[in-house]
mmCIF file with all atom_site columns, all heavy atoms in Angstrom:
data_model
loop_
_atom_site.group_PDB
_atom_site.id
_atom_site.type_symbol
_atom_site.label_atom_id
_atom_site.label_alt_id
_atom_site.label_comp_id
_atom_site.label_asym_id
_atom_site.label_entity_id
_atom_site.label_seq_id
_atom_site.pdbx_PDB_ins_code
_atom_site.Cartn_x
_atom_site.Cartn_y
_atom_site.Cartn_z
_atom_site.occupancy
_atom_site.B_iso_or_equiv
_atom_site.pdbx_formal_charge
_atom_site.auth_seq_id
_atom_site.auth_comp_id
_atom_site.auth_asym_id
_atom_site.auth_atom_id
_atom_site.pdbx_PDB_model_num
ATOM 1  N N   . LYS P 1 61 ? 40.939 159.279 -338.828 1.00 0.00 ? 61 LYS P N   1
ATOM 2  C CA  . LYS P 1 61 ? 39.803 160.024 -338.287 1.00 0.00 ? 61 LYS P CA  1
ATOM 3  C C   . LYS P 1 61 ? 39.434 159.385 -336.946 1.00 0.00 ? 61 LYS P C   1
ATOM 4  O O   . LYS P 1 61 ? 39.600 158.174 -336.764 1.00 0.00 ? 61 LYS P O   1
ATOM 5  C CB  . LYS P 1 61 ? 38.593 159.916 -339.218 1.00 0.00 ? 61 LYS P CB  1
ATOM 6  C CG  . LYS P 1 61 ? 38.804 160.479 -340.608 1.00 0.00 ? 61 LYS P CG  1
ATOM 7  C CD  . LYS P 1 61 ? 37.478 160.432 -341.371 1.00 0.00 ? 61 LYS P CD  1
ATOM 8  C CE  . LYS P 1 61 ? 37.647 160.806 -342.827 1.00 0.00 ? 61 LYS P CE  1
ATOM 9  N NZ  . LYS P 1 61 ? 38.202 159.708 -343.652 1.00 0.00 ? 61 LYS P NZ  1
ATOM 10 N N   . CYS P 1 62 ? 38.863 160.205 -336.035 1.00 0.00 ? 62 CYS P N   1
ATOM 11 C CA  . CYS P 1 62 ? 38.498 159.691 -334.709 1.00 0.00 ? 62 CYS P CA  1
ATOM 12 C C   . CYS P 1 62 ? 37.612 158.458 -334.809 1.00 0.00 ? 62 CYS P C   1
ATOM 13 O O   . CYS P 1 62 ? 37.814 157.479 -334.088 1.00 0.00 ? 62 CYS P O   1
ATOM 14 C CB  . CYS P 1 62 ? 37.768 160.755 -333.905 1.00 0.00 ? 62 CYS P CB  1
ATOM 15 S SG  . CYS P 1 62 ? 38.805 162.145 -333.495 1.00 0.00 ? 62 CYS P SG  1
ATOM 16 N N   . GLU P 1 63 ? 36.643 158.501 -335.719 1.00 0.00 ? 63 GLU P N   1
ATOM 17 C CA  . GLU P 1 63 ? 35.667 157.400 -335.780 1.00 0.00 ? 63 GLU P CA  1
ATOM 18 C C   . GLU P 1 63 ? 36.253 156.119 -336.376 1.00 0.00 ? 63 GLU P C   1
ATOM 19 O O   . GLU P 1 63 ? 35.567 155.107 -336.483 1.00 0.00 ? 63 GLU P O   1
ATOM 20 C CB  . GLU P 1 63 ? 34.395 157.833 -336.524 1.00 0.00 ? 63 GLU P CB  1
ATOM 21 C CG  . GLU P 1 63 ? 34.581 158.116 -338.004 1.00 0.00 ? 63 GLU P CG  1
ATOM 22 C CD  . GLU P 1 63 ? 34.796 159.603 -338.314 1.00 0.00 ? 63 GLU P CD  1
ATOM 23 O OE1 . GLU P 1 63 ? 35.391 160.322 -337.460 1.00 0.00 ? 63 GLU P OE1 1
ATOM 24 O OE2 . GLU P 1 63 ? 34.372 160.046 -339.396 1.00 0.00 ? 63 GLU P OE2 1
ATOM 25 N N   . GLU P 1 64 ? 37.530 156.175 -336.769 1.00 0.00 ? 64 GLU P N   1
ATOM 26 C CA  . GLU P 1 64 ? 38.176 154.968 -337.307 1.00 0.00 ? 64 GLU P CA  1
ATOM 27 C C   . GLU P 1 64 ? 38.994 154.236 -336.240 1.00 0.00 ? 64 GLU P C   1
ATOM 28 O O   . GLU P 1 64 ? 39.614 153.208 -336.534 1.00 0.00 ? 64 GLU P O   1
ATOM 29 C CB  . GLU P 1 64 ? 39.093 155.349 -338.474 1.00 0.00 ? 64 GLU P CB  1
ATOM 30 C CG  . GLU P 1 64 ? 38.315 155.918 -339.669 1.00 0.00 ? 64 GLU P CG  1
ATOM 31 C CD  . GLU P 1 64 ? 39.226 156.446 -340.771 1.00 0.00 ? 64 GLU P CD  1
ATOM 32 O OE1 . GLU P 1 64 ? 40.232 157.134 -340.455 1.00 0.00 ? 64 GLU P OE1 1
ATOM 33 O OE2 . GLU P 1 64 ? 38.933 156.185 -341.946 1.00 0.00 ? 64 GLU P OE2 1
ATOM 34 N N   . VAL P 1 65 ? 39.006 154.759 -335.013 1.00 0.00 ? 65 VAL P N   1
ATOM 35 C CA  . VAL P 1 65 ? 39.812 154.176 -333.927 1.00 0.00 ? 65 VAL P CA  1
ATOM 36 C C   . VAL P 1 65 ? 38.901 153.530 -332.889 1.00 0.00 ? 65 VAL P C   1
ATOM 37 O O   . VAL P 1 65 ? 37.971 154.160 -332.390 1.00 0.00 ? 65 VAL P O   1
ATOM 38 C CB  . VAL P 1 65 ? 40.689 155.265 -333.263 1.00 0.00 ? 65 VAL P CB  1
ATOM 39 C CG1 . VAL P 1 65 ? 41.400 154.721 -332.027 1.00 0.00 ? 65 VAL P CG1 1
ATOM 40 C CG2 . VAL P 1 65 ? 41.692 155.836 -334.258 1.00 0.00 ? 65 VAL P CG2 1
ATOM 41 N N   . TYR P 1 66 ? 39.175 152.262 -332.566 1.00 0.00 ? 66 TYR P N   1
ATOM 42 C CA  . TYR P 1 66 ? 38.393 151.525 -331.569 1.00 0.00 ? 66 TYR P CA  1
ATOM 43 C C   . TYR P 1 66 ? 39.352 150.990 -330.511 1.00 0.00 ? 66 TYR P C   1
ATOM 44 O O   . TYR P 1 66 ? 40.413 150.459 -330.855 1.00 0.00 ? 66 TYR P O   1
ATOM 45 C CB  . TYR P 1 66 ? 37.646 150.350 -332.225 1.00 0.00 ? 66 TYR P CB  1
ATOM 46 C CG  . TYR P 1 66 ? 36.741 150.777 -333.360 1.00 0.00 ? 66 TYR P CG  1
ATOM 47 C CD1 . TYR P 1 66 ? 37.242 150.894 -334.662 1.00 0.00 ? 66 TYR P CD1 1
ATOM 48 C CD2 . TYR P 1 66 ? 35.400 151.079 -333.145 1.00 0.00 ? 66 TYR P CD2 1
ATOM 49 C CE1 . TYR P 1 66 ? 36.429 151.302 -335.706 1.00 0.00 ? 66 TYR P CE1 1
ATOM 50 C CE2 . TYR P 1 66 ? 34.577 151.488 -334.181 1.00 0.00 ? 66 TYR P CE2 1
ATOM 51 C CZ  . TYR P 1 66 ? 35.096 151.602 -335.462 1.00 0.00 ? 66 TYR P CZ  1
ATOM 52 O OH  . TYR P 1 66 ? 34.293 152.007 -336.496 1.00 0.00 ? 66 TYR P OH  1
ATOM 53 N N   . PHE P 1 67 ? 38.956 151.108 -329.247 1.00 0.00 ? 67 PHE P N   1
ATOM 54 C CA  . PHE P 1 67 ? 39.839 150.640 -328.182 1.00 0.00 ? 67 PHE P CA  1
ATOM 55 C C   . PHE P 1 67 ? 39.667 149.138 -327.942 1.00 0.00 ? 67 PHE P C   1
ATOM 56 O O   . PHE P 1 67 ? 38.553 148.612 -327.964 1.00 0.00 ? 67 PHE P O   1
ATOM 57 C CB  . PHE P 1 67 ? 39.572 151.426 -326.894 1.00 0.00 ? 67 PHE P CB  1
ATOM 58 C CG  . PHE P 1 67 ? 39.881 152.889 -327.056 1.00 0.00 ? 67 PHE P CG  1
ATOM 59 C CD1 . PHE P 1 67 ? 38.866 153.836 -327.043 1.00 0.00 ? 67 PHE P CD1 1
ATOM 60 C CD2 . PHE P 1 67 ? 41.187 153.310 -327.257 1.00 0.00 ? 67 PHE P CD2 1
ATOM 61 C CE1 . PHE P 1 67 ? 39.151 155.190 -327.216 1.00 0.00 ? 67 PHE P CE1 1
ATOM 62 C CE2 . PHE P 1 67 ? 41.482 154.656 -327.441 1.00 0.00 ? 67 PHE P CE2 1
ATOM 63 C CZ  . PHE P 1 67 ? 40.454 155.602 -327.419 1.00 0.00 ? 67 PHE P CZ  1
ATOM 64 N N   . THR P 1 68 ? 40.807 148.471 -327.712 1.00 0.00 ? 68 THR P N   1
ATOM 65 C CA  . THR P 1 68 ? 40.825 147.027 -327.436 1.00 0.00 ? 68 THR P CA  1
ATOM 66 C C   . THR P 1 68 ? 41.716 146.800 -326.209 1.00 0.00 ? 68 THR P C   1
ATOM 67 O O   . THR P 1 68 ? 42.212 147.759 -325.624 1.00 0.00 ? 68 THR P O   1
ATOM 68 C CB  . THR P 1 68 ? 41.423 146.242 -328.622 1.00 0.00 ? 68 THR P CB  1
ATOM 69 O OG1 . THR P 1 68 ? 42.816 146.585 -328.740 1.00 0.00 ? 68 THR P OG1 1
ATOM 70 C CG2 . THR P 1 68 ? 40.706 146.555 -329.930 1.00 0.00 ? 68 THR P CG2 1
ATOM 71 N N   . SER P 1 69 ? 41.954 145.539 -325.886 1.00 0.00 ? 69 SER P N   1
ATOM 72 C CA  . SER P 1 69 ? 42.814 145.246 -324.737 1.00 0.00 ? 69 SER P CA  1
ATOM 73 C C   . SER P 1 69 ? 44.296 145.207 -325.114 1.00 0.00 ? 69 SER P C   1
ATOM 74 O O   . SER P 1 69 ? 45.142 144.939 -324.277 1.00 0.00 ? 69 SER P O   1
ATOM 75 C CB  . SER P 1 69 ? 42.420 143.910 -324.110 1.00 0.00 ? 69 SER P CB  1
ATOM 76 O OG  . SER P 1 69 ? 42.709 142.863 -325.010 1.00 0.00 ? 69 SER P OG  1
ATOM 77 N N   . GLY P 1 70 ? 44.623 145.463 -326.379 1.00 0.00 ? 70 GLY P N   1
ATOM 78 C CA  . GLY P 1 70 ? 46.036 145.483 -326.750 1.00 0.00 ? 70 GLY P CA  1
ATOM 79 C C   . GLY P 1 70 ? 46.297 144.927 -328.142 1.00 0.00 ? 70 GLY P C   1
ATOM 80 O O   . GLY P 1 70 ? 45.361 144.651 -328.908 1.00 0.00 ? 70 GLY P O   1
ATOM 81 N N   . GLY P 1 71 ? 47.575 144.748 -328.420 1.00 0.00 ? 71 GLY P N   1
ATOM 82 C CA  . GLY P 1 71 ? 47.991 144.292 -329.739 1.00 0.00 ? 71 GLY P CA  1
ATOM 83 C C   . GLY P 1 71 ? 47.448 142.915 -330.085 1.00 0.00 ? 71 GLY P C   1
ATOM 84 O O   . GLY P 1 71 ? 46.994 142.683 -331.212 1.00 0.00 ? 71 GLY P O   1
ATOM 85 N N   . THR P 1 72 ? 47.481 142.005 -329.134 1.00 0.00 ? 72 THR P N   1
ATOM 86 C CA  . THR P 1 72 ? 47.031 140.635 -329.405 1.00 0.00 ? 72 THR P CA  1
ATOM 87 C C   . THR P 1 72 ? 45.554 140.622 -329.795 1.00 0.00 ? 72 THR P C   1
ATOM 88 O O   . THR P 1 72 ? 45.165 139.975 -330.779 1.00 0.00 ? 72 THR P O   1
ATOM 89 C CB  . THR P 1 72 ? 47.271 139.746 -328.164 1.00 0.00 ? 72 THR P CB  1
ATOM 90 O OG1 . THR P 1 72 ? 48.664 139.785 -327.840 1.00 0.00 ? 72 THR P OG1 1
ATOM 91 C CG2 . THR P 1 72 ? 46.841 138.310 -328.416 1.00 0.00 ? 72 THR P CG2 1
#
Side-chain angles (χ1 to χ4, degrees):
K61 299 186 188 78
C62 294
E63 67 264 32
E64 295 174 317
V65 173
Y66 303 87
F67 297 112
T68 67
S69 67
T72 302

